[in-house]
Amino acid sequence: MEAAVFILSLVDCCALIFLSVYFIITLSDLECDYINARACCSKLNKWVIPELIAQALPTVLMLVSMHWFVLLLNLPVAAWNIYRFVKVPMGNMGVYDPTEIHNRGQLKTHMKEAMIKLGFHLLCFFIYLYSMILALIND
């Protein structure tokens, strides 16, 4: 059971790493003017809810399986994603809004956030990998 939790978390983490890289590439394309703000934001907003679900999954799994350290590691990022999604102002296209991304200087903030998430998911990947191997050896 414990190995299955970490295998599922590892697969989920791989998807989140891929998604973080996709966000970084799309935001850097916007920064270099390869795509316009509306196209960039519509691409990124499609993936906000799947990212939210994918981040909540290992958090819930660690809560159910009582792995407290990993739960406390995942909880702030899951809470941040939920906070960002809930606090979208009325009238905005989504978390990523084309009118605000340049006007209010949010492009650098979104890029920094995507880089931090990539680092976090890479850290989690190695923690899940180590825990999975440990769980498989103990079984």
Side-chain angles (χ1 to χ4, degrees), residues 76-107:
V77 177
W80 174 253
N81 284 341
I82 292 169
Y83 172 78
R84 254 189 27 188
F85 182 72
V86 170
K87 287 296 181 181
V88 172
M90 290 298 288
N92 278 12
M93 187 175 170
V95 173
Y96 299 94
D97 189 64
T99 57
E100 292 185 0
I101 201 159
H102 286 300
N103 292 345
R104 296 183 55 203
Q106 288 182 344
L107 181 59

Coordinates of all heavy atoms in Angstrom, one line a residue, residues 76-107:
P76 N 1.6 23.8 1.6 CA 1.7 25.2 1.2 C 1.5 25.4 -0.3 O 0.8 26.4 -0.7 CB 3.1 25.6 1.7 CG 3.5 24.6 2.7 CD 2.8 23.4 2.3
V77 N 2.0 24.5 -1.1 CA 1.9 24.7 -2.5 C 0.4 24.5 -2.9 O -0.2 25.2 -3.8 CB 2.8 23.8 -3.3 CG1 2.6 23.9 -4.8 CG2 4.3 24.2 -3.0
A78 N -0.2 23.4 -2.4 CA -1.6 23.2 -2.7 C -2.5 24.3 -2.2 O -3.4 24.8 -2.9 CB -2.1 21.9 -2.0
A79 N -2.2 24.8 -1.0 CA -3.0 26.0 -0.5 C -2.8 27.2 -1.4 O -3.7 28.0 -1.6 CB -2.6 26.3 0.9
W80 N -1.6 27.4 -1.9 CA -1.3 28.6 -2.7 C -2.1 28.5 -4.0 O -2.6 29.5 -4.5 CB 0.2 28.7 -3.0 CG 0.5 29.8 -4.0 CD1 0.9 29.6 -5.3 CD2 0.4 31.2 -3.8 NE1 1.1 30.8 -5.9 CE2 0.8 31.8 -5.0 CE3 0.1 32.0 -2.7 CZ2 0.8 33.2 -5.1 CZ3 0.1 33.4 -2.9 CH2 0.5 33.9 -4.1
N81 N -2.1 27.3 -4.6 CA -2.8 27.1 -5.9 C -4.3 27.3 -5.7 O -5.0 28.0 -6.5 CB -2.6 25.7 -6.4 CG -1.3 25.5 -7.1 OD1 -0.6 26.5 -7.4 ND2 -0.8 24.3 -7.2
I82 N -4.9 26.9 -4.6 CA -6.3 27.1 -4.3 C -6.5 28.6 -4.1 O -7.5 29.1 -4.6 CB -6.7 26.2 -3.1 CG1 -6.7 24.8 -3.4 CG2 -8.1 26.7 -2.6 CD1 -6.9 23.8 -2.3
Y83 N -5.7 29.2 -3.3 CA -5.8 30.7 -3.0 C -5.8 31.5 -4.3 O -6.6 32.4 -4.5 CB -4.7 31.1 -2.1 CG -4.7 32.6 -1.9 CD1 -5.6 33.3 -1.1 CD2 -3.7 33.4 -2.6 CE1 -5.5 34.6 -0.9 CE2 -3.7 34.8 -2.4 CZ -4.6 35.4 -1.6 OH -4.5 36.7 -1.4
R84 N -4.9 31.2 -5.2 CA -4.7 31.9 -6.5 C -6.0 31.7 -7.3 O -6.5 32.6 -8.0 CB -3.5 31.3 -7.3 CG -2.4 32.3 -7.3 CD -1.4 31.8 -8.2 NE -1.9 31.0 -9.3 CZ -1.2 30.4 -10.2 NH1 0.1 30.4 -10.1 NH2 -1.7 29.6 -11.1
F85 N -6.5 30.5 -7.3 CA -7.7 30.2 -8.1 C -8.9 30.9 -7.6 O -9.8 31.4 -8.3 CB -7.9 28.7 -8.2 CG -9.1 28.3 -9.0 CD1 -9.0 28.4 -10.4 CD2 -10.3 27.8 -8.5 CE1 -10.1 28.0 -11.2 CE2 -11.4 27.4 -9.2 CZ -11.3 27.5 -10.6
V86 N -9.1 30.9 -6.3 CA -10.3 31.5 -5.6 C -10.2 33.1 -5.7 O -11.3 33.7 -5.9 CB -10.4 31.1 -4.2 CG1 -11.4 31.8 -3.4 CG2 -10.7 29.6 -4.1
K87 N -9.0 33.6 -5.7 CA -8.9 35.1 -5.7 C -8.8 35.8 -7.0 O -8.3 36.9 -7.1 CB -7.7 35.5 -4.8 CG -7.8 35.3 -3.4 CD -8.9 36.2 -2.8 CE -9.1 36.0 -1.4 NZ -10.2 36.8 -0.8
V88 N -9.3 35.1 -8.1 CA -9.3 35.7 -9.4 C -10.4 36.8 -9.4 O -11.5 36.5 -9.1 CB -9.6 34.7 -10.5 CG1 -9.8 35.3 -11.8 CG2 -8.5 33.7 -10.6
P89 N -10.0 38.1 -9.8 CA -11.0 39.1 -9.8 C -12.1 38.9 -10.8 O -11.9 38.3 -11.8 CB -10.2 40.4 -10.1 CG -8.8 40.0 -9.9 CD -8.7 38.5 -10.1
M90 N -13.3 39.4 -10.5 CA -14.4 39.3 -11.4 C -14.1 40.0 -12.7 O -13.5 41.1 -12.7 CB -15.7 39.9 -10.8 CG -16.2 39.1 -9.6 SD -16.7 37.4 -10.1 CE -18.2 37.8 -11.0
G91 N -14.4 39.4 -13.8 CA -14.1 40.0 -15.1 C -12.8 39.5 -15.8 O -12.6 39.8 -16.9
N92 N -12.0 38.9 -15.0 CA -10.7 38.4 -15.5 C -11.0 37.1 -16.3 O -11.9 36.4 -16.0 CB -9.7 38.2 -14.4 CG -9.0 39.4 -14.1 OD1 -9.4 40.5 -14.4 ND2 -7.9 39.3 -13.3
M93 N -10.1 36.8 -17.2 CA -10.2 35.6 -18.1 C -9.9 34.4 -17.2 O -10.4 33.3 -17.5 CB -9.2 35.8 -19.2 CG -9.2 34.7 -20.2 SD -8.1 35.2 -21.5 CE -8.0 33.7 -22.5
G94 N -9.1 34.5 -16.2 CA -8.7 33.4 -15.3 C -7.6 33.9 -14.5 O -7.3 35.1 -14.3
V95 N -6.8 32.9 -14.0 CA -5.6 33.3 -13.2 C -4.6 34.1 -14.0 O -4.0 35.0 -13.5 CB -4.9 32.0 -12.7 CG1 -3.6 32.3 -12.0 CG2 -5.9 31.2 -11.7
Y96 N -4.5 33.7 -15.3 CA -3.7 34.5 -16.2 C -4.6 35.3 -17.1 O -5.4 34.8 -17.9 CB -2.8 33.5 -17.1 CG -1.9 32.6 -16.3 CD1 -2.3 31.4 -15.9 CD2 -0.7 33.1 -15.9 CE1 -1.5 30.6 -15.1 CE2 0.2 32.3 -15.2 CZ -0.2 31.0 -14.8 OH 0.6 30.3 -14.0
D97 N -4.5 36.6 -16.9 CA -5.3 37.6 -17.7 C -4.5 38.4 -18.6 O -3.5 39.0 -18.2 CB -6.1 38.5 -16.7 CG -7.1 39.3 -17.4 OD1 -8.1 38.7 -17.9 OD2 -7.0 40.5 -17.4
P98 N -4.9 38.4 -19.9 CA -4.0 39.1 -20.9 C -4.0 40.6 -20.7 O -2.9 41.2 -21.0 CB -4.7 38.8 -22.2 CG -6.1 38.3 -21.9 CD -6.0 37.8 -20.5
T99 N -5.0 41.3 -20.1 CA -4.9 42.7 -19.9 C -4.0 43.1 -18.7 O -3.4 44.2 -18.7 CB -6.3 43.3 -19.7 OG1 -6.9 42.7 -18.6 CG2 -7.2 43.1 -20.9
E100 N -3.9 42.2 -17.8 CA -3.1 42.5 -16.6 C -1.7 42.0 -16.6 O -0.8 42.4 -15.9 CB -3.8 42.0 -15.3 CG -5.1 42.7 -15.0 CD -5.7 42.2 -13.7 OE1 -5.1 41.3 -13.1 OE2 -6.7 42.7 -13.3
I101 N -1.4 41.0 -17.5 CA -0.1 40.4 -17.5 C 1.0 41.3 -17.9 O 2.1 41.3 -17.4 CB -0.1 39.1 -18.4 CG1 1.0 38.2 -17.9 CG2 0.0 39.4 -19.9 CD1 0.9 36.7 -18.4
H102 N 0.7 42.3 -18.8 CA 1.7 43.3 -19.1 C 1.6 44.6 -18.3 O 2.5 45.2 -17.9 CB 1.7 43.6 -20.6 CG 2.2 42.6 -21.5 ND1 3.5 42.1 -21.4 CD2 1.7 41.8 -22.4 CE1 3.8 41.2 -22.3 NE2 2.6 40.9 -22.9
N103 N 0.3 45.0 -18.2 CA 0.0 46.3 -17.5 C 0.5 46.4 -16.1 O 1.1 47.4 -15.6 CB -1.5 46.6 -17.6 CG -1.9 46.9 -19.0 OD1 -1.1 47.1 -19.9 ND2 -3.2 46.9 -19.2
R104 N 0.3 45.3 -15.3 CA 0.7 45.3 -13.9 C 2.0 44.6 -13.6 O 2.3 44.4 -12.5 CB -0.5 44.7 -13.1 CG -1.7 45.5 -13.2 CD -2.9 45.0 -12.4 NE -2.5 44.9 -11.0 CZ -3.1 44.1 -10.2 NH1 -4.1 43.3 -10.6 NH2 -2.7 44.0 -8.9
G105 N 2.7 44.2 -14.7 CA 4.0 43.6 -14.5 C 3.9 42.2 -13.9 O 4.8 41.8 -13.2
Q106 N 2.9 41.5 -14.2 CA 2.7 40.2 -13.6 C 3.5 39.1 -14.4 O 3.6 38.0 -13.9 CB 1.2 39.8 -13.6 CG 0.4 40.5 -12.6 CD -1.1 40.1 -12.7 OE1 -1.5 39.4 -13.6 NE2 -1.8 40.4 -11.6
L107 N 4.0 39.4 -15.5 CA 4.7 38.4 -16.3 C 5.9 37.9 -15.5 O 6.1 36.7 -15.5 CB 5.2 39.0 -17.7 CG 5.9 38.0 -18.6 CD1 5.0 36.8 -18.9 CD2 6.3 38.8 -19.9

